[in-house]
Amino acid sequence: MFDIAATVITLAAVLVLYRAIKGPRVYDRALAVNIIGTKTVVLLALIGFAYGRPHFLDIALVYALMNYISTLAFLKYREMGRLD
Amino acid sequence: MIDFALLLFLVVCALAAIQMKDLLSAIMLLGSYSFIMAVVWTRLNAVDVAFTEASVGAGITTILLIATLSRTKRREMGQTVPLVNSVIYGVVVMLTSAVLLYGTIDMPLFGDPGAPAYQHVAPRYIEKSYEETGVVNFVTAVLASYRGYDTLGETAVIFGAGMCVILLLRRKI
């Protein structure tokens, strides 16, 4: 069960990776990378479930925050042209 | 199965980040590389390493690289490397990786209880650390008591690095 779910999610991440590499505009790439980060969070929750360690969910939450921070930095750079 | 898929994902991500001429896209791809790498670390049950990979690799490094990019150009310069140089680089990299792979042959299997790391000092830490240091958690005992000066030095290095980053990124007055 875990294998099937994990494989499907990895497949979804691979599909998105195609857009991240190919994506004509940089916004496509940003969105794709954001989605890959989300898939990572789900995968981490699944691994925590499979290993029987529910505190992985807290780590998954931190990953979601990290994903948000890098996207925020990217958008600020695109809008302002600088980060400071 | 899932491990092979993740490793393949990593290789594709790394190659795409190398090939990308637009440096902002390369940074984004490196961020996703770090996230997948963090999942691989979690699969190996190294949660703390995964945590560091996600926060440093995907979080801080992305921001620092974008900050660097905002001070320089976004496009890679159209510079061509001579063929002889690429061949030399390729041979050196292949030789180094062959030596590294040769070095992994003698390593014990993953999770092998007979590995030297579990035989030499680990039993002593497990049995004696509470008596000797009075710290309940023996990982904390090793880090903060047995290797206290080492940890102090590491903290000083990290503090120095943080100060350097602040000085470099500070707005010019």
Side-chain angles (χ1 to χ4, degrees), chain A residues 10 29 51 53 59 78, chain B residues 2 25 39 43 45 47 74:
Chain A
T10 315
R29 295 201 172 101
Y51 285 179
R53 294 170 74 170
I59 301 171
R78 286 297 291 167
Chain B
I2 180 81
S25 309
V39 175
R43 282 284 291 174
N45 233 331
V47 184
R74 212 185 114 185

Side-chain angles (χ1 to χ4, degrees), chain A residues 11-75:
Chain A
L11 195 67
V14 169
L15 287 178
V16 176
L17 182 66
Y18 171 76
R19 185 50 62 198
I21 293 170
K22 186 83 179 170
R25 296 167 65 201
V26 76
Y27 296 106
D28 297 322
R29 295 201 172 101
L31 190 60
V33 168
N34 203 340
I35 293 173
I36 289 174
T38 317
K39 293 286 166 289
T40 311
V41 172
V42 180
L43 207 53
L44 199 64
L46 270 178
I47 291 174
F49 176 73
Y51 285 179
R53 294 170 74 170
H55 63 265
F56 276 23
L57 282 180
D58 300 341
I59 301 171
L61 279 177
V62 174
Y63 279 26
L65 281 176
M66 286 298 154
N67 202 6
Y68 175 68
I69 288 174
S70 55
T71 311
L72 209 63
F74 162 77
L75 290 176

Side-chain angles (χ1 to χ4, degrees), chain B:
Chain B
M1 173 62 200
I2 180 81
D3 292 323
F4 282 113
L6 287 175
L7 289 176
L8 196 67
F9 197 102
L10 280 182
V11 172
V12 172
C13 247
L15 287 178
I18 292 172
Q19 286 297 319
M20 205 65 79
K21 291 287 175 212
D22 180 10
L23 293 176
L24 190 56
S25 309
I27 292 172
M28 308 252 69
L29 278 172
L30 275 184
S32 63
Y33 175 93
S34 286
F35 268 121
I36 300 296
M37 193 69 213
V39 175
V40 174
W41 288 124
T42 317
R43 282 284 291 174
L44 293 172
N45 233 331
V47 184
D48 46 345
V49 184
F51 210 78
T52 315
E53 177 76 40
S55 53
V56 175
I60 297 300
T61 307
T62 309
I63 293 173
L64 287 180
L65 286 175
I66 290 178
T68 313
L69 212 58
S70 68
R71 298 281 167 116
T72 54
K73 294 270 172 59
R74 212 185 114 185
R75 294 270 157 191
E76 195 173 307
M77 299 290 263
Q79 219 170 26
T80 50
V81 182
L83 186 64
V84 185
N85 286 16
S86 348
V87 170
I88 293 173
Y89 300 153
V91 168
V92 169
V93 168
M94 296 244 182
L95 276 180
T96 314
S97 36
V99 168
L100 289 176
L101 281 177
Y102 175 71
T104 60
I105 293 175
D106 283 344
M107 281 173 72
L109 289 173
F110 177 68
D112 181 13
Y118 303 130
Q119 299 293 323
H120 180 45
V121 288
R124 189 198 147 82
Y125 283 145
I126 293 170
E127 284 159 15
K128 291 278 179 64
S129 68
Y130 183 67
E131 292 169 31
E132 287 179 356
T133 62
V135 181
V136 182
N137 184 331
F138 56 78
V139 175
T140 312
V142 169
L143 278 179
S145 182
Y146 289 108
R147 301 182 193 160
Y149 286 112
D150 195 24
T151 308
L152 184 66
E154 280 172 20
T155 317
V157 168
I158 291 172
F159 178 73
M163 279 296 150
C164 290
V165 168
I166 289 174
L167 283 176
L168 284 173
L169 289 184
R170 193 180 51 176
R171 192 189 300 223
K172 295 242 165 39
I173 301 167

